[in-house]
Amino acid sequence: MTKFKVKANLSGIQAKSPEFRKKAVTYVANELLKKCDPYVPFRTGMLRDSGIAHSVPKQGRLIWKTPYAKNQWEYGKSRGLRGKLWAKRAWLDNRKYILSNAKSVASGKEQS
């Protein structure tokens, strides 16, 4: 099985407390995982589902773990939004929204 991780630098988020920092990290990971759904190459759904099954949002870790995950990440053919580097592209398309809400979570406010 191939396993890889996607990391995002959240050093710019100032948290009210360590607890709120953890909530913000969890929020970012969960939200990015949701936003990745239309970007992940899809034939049977196994690759998409592996992201849900193997990711650890509380640690800020998104993991897609299938025999072909790395190959799809590097060489996956595009069909609409779906294709290679899906998490990076989803992050680029959605980071302003995600970071704005993460800052609210980190400050103790509800996300919009």
Side-chain angles (χ1 to χ4, degrees), residues 72-104:
Q72 285 294 325
W73 178 260
E74 293 175 359
Y75 309 109
K77 293 184 181 179
S78 295
R79 289 188 181 152
L81 287 176
R82 297 190 187 280
K84 65 183 180 177
L85 306 173
W86 58 86
K88 286 183 179 184
R89 291 183 300 108
W91 176 251
L92 290 174
D93 290 349
N94 295 284
R95 69 178 172 213
K96 288 180 184 176
Y97 169 81
I98 293 171
L99 288 175
S100 173
N101 286 336
K103 288 178 183 177
S104 293

Side-chain angles (χ1 to χ4, degrees), residues 13-33:
I13 295 178
Q14 301 298 318
K16 190 174 179 179
S17 70
E19 178 186 338
F20 284 111
R21 173 91 178 146
K22 288 179 186 177
K23 286 183 179 185
V25 168
T26 301
Y27 169 79
V28 169
N30 278 323
E31 195 62 26
L32 181 55
L33 189 58

Side-chain angles (χ1 to χ4, degrees), residues 51-70:
I52 296 165
H54 297 286
S55 293
V56 187
K58 288 183 179 182
Q59 294 176 7
R61 298 167 69 130
L62 300 183
I63 303 167
W64 287 269
K65 186 177 175 182
T66 67
Y68 48 85
K70 185 175 181 181

